[in-house]
Amino acid sequence: MSLQYISIILGILATGGGVLGFFRPDLVKRFAELFPRSVIPAWIFTALCCWLGAKEALSMNMGFLDAYKKFIYVLSPAVFVASVVYMKELLAPRALGGFLLLIAVPIVRTASLSGAPYFQILVAVVYLWVIYGMVLLFSPWYFRKTYSVILNHDGIFRGVALTKTAAGILFLVLGLFVY
C-alpha cells in the first residue's frame, strides 16, 4: 500500500471520527465508556495483532530460524485462541495498544521508503501512536483515565473533535495532493 492510500485512509477515519464526535457526542461518549470492558473489540484487535505479527514475522530475516517460518501459520491462530481463552486481562485497550504498536511498522516503513515530501508528519503521528500503544499495553486503565478528562468536559470534547477533524483534513490533503 502506498503512502498516498495510507494517508487518505487515516484522513477519512480521523475526519469521520471528528465529525461524529462534533455532531453526535453522545455516541462517542457511550462507545468510550463501554470500550474498556468490551469483549468483541478486544477479540478483533487481538486477531489483527496476530495477523500483523505473523505478517511481520514472515517477512523478516530470522537466520537459522527461517526453516521454522512455516509454523507461523499454525502459531498465529493458536496464539489468538490462547489469548481469548486463557488471558483473563484481555481488555480492549490492551489489545488496541498492541494493534497501535504493530500497525506502526508497515506505515513507518512505507513512509520512510516513499521519498515523499512531508512524510515526517505522518511518521510523527505514528510515533505518538506507538507511545500511547505502549502505555495501553502495560496499563490499560490509562484508557479510561485519559478519556475521562475529555468526556467529562464538553468544551474539551468539542475541541478534541475539531482537532481530530482538522488532522483528518490535513491527512486527506497530503494524500490527495502531496503524496
Side-chain angles (χ1 to χ4, degrees):
M1 186 177 293
S2 71
L3 186 61
Q4 179 182 21
Y5 291 129
I6 292 170
S7 183
I8 290 171
I9 289 169
L10 291 177
I12 290 170
L13 291 173
T15 304
V19 168
L20 182 68
F22 192 76
F23 290 110
R24 291 297 309 268
D26 56 319
L27 292 176
V28 175
K29 289 178 181 182
R30 181 77 176 136
F31 178 77
E33 290 170 2
L34 295 176
F35 182 76
R37 294 287 178 183
S38 299
V39 175
I40 301 299
W43 286 27
I44 291 171
F45 281 123
T46 302
L48 288 170
C49 287
C50 290
W51 175 70
L52 285 168
K55 184 178 173 211
E56 290 302 318
L58 287 169
S59 68
M60 70 176 58
N61 181 11
M62 295 185 180
F64 71 93
L65 294 174
D66 276 344
Y68 299 104
K69 280 187 179 181
K70 59 187 172 195
F71 296 115
I72 292 174
Y73 296 108
V74 176
L75 288 174
S76 182
V79 166
F80 172 74
V81 170
S83 295
V84 299
V85 171
Y86 295 112
M87 194 174 197
K88 299 295 182 205
E89 289 296 315
L90 178 62
L91 303 172
R94 180 170 282 149
L96 173 63
F99 175 74
L100 290 175
L101 292 172
L102 288 168
I103 197 68
V105 175
I107 293 174
V108 170
R109 183 184 310 126
T110 302
S112 64
L113 296 176
S114 71
Y118 307 114
F119 76 90
Q120 297 90 347
I121 295 171
L122 191 62
V123 170
V125 170
V126 171
Y127 279 135
L128 291 173
W129 288 355
V130 168
I131 293 168
Y132 190 61
M134 286 189 286
V135 169
L136 290 179
L137 195 63
F138 293 119
S139 302
W141 57 275
Y142 266 107
F143 181 86
R144 185 171 284 143
K145 185 176 182 179
T146 304
Y147 283 99
S148 67
V149 174
I150 298 169
L151 295 177
N152 293 332
H153 299 88
D154 287 336
I156 295 173
F157 186 84
R158 289 201 184 269
V160 168
L162 285 174
T163 304
K164 189 171 186 174
T165 304
I169 291 170
L170 173 68
F171 288 142
L172 282 171
V173 168
L174 286 173
L176 292 172
F177 301 113
V178 178
Y179 301 146

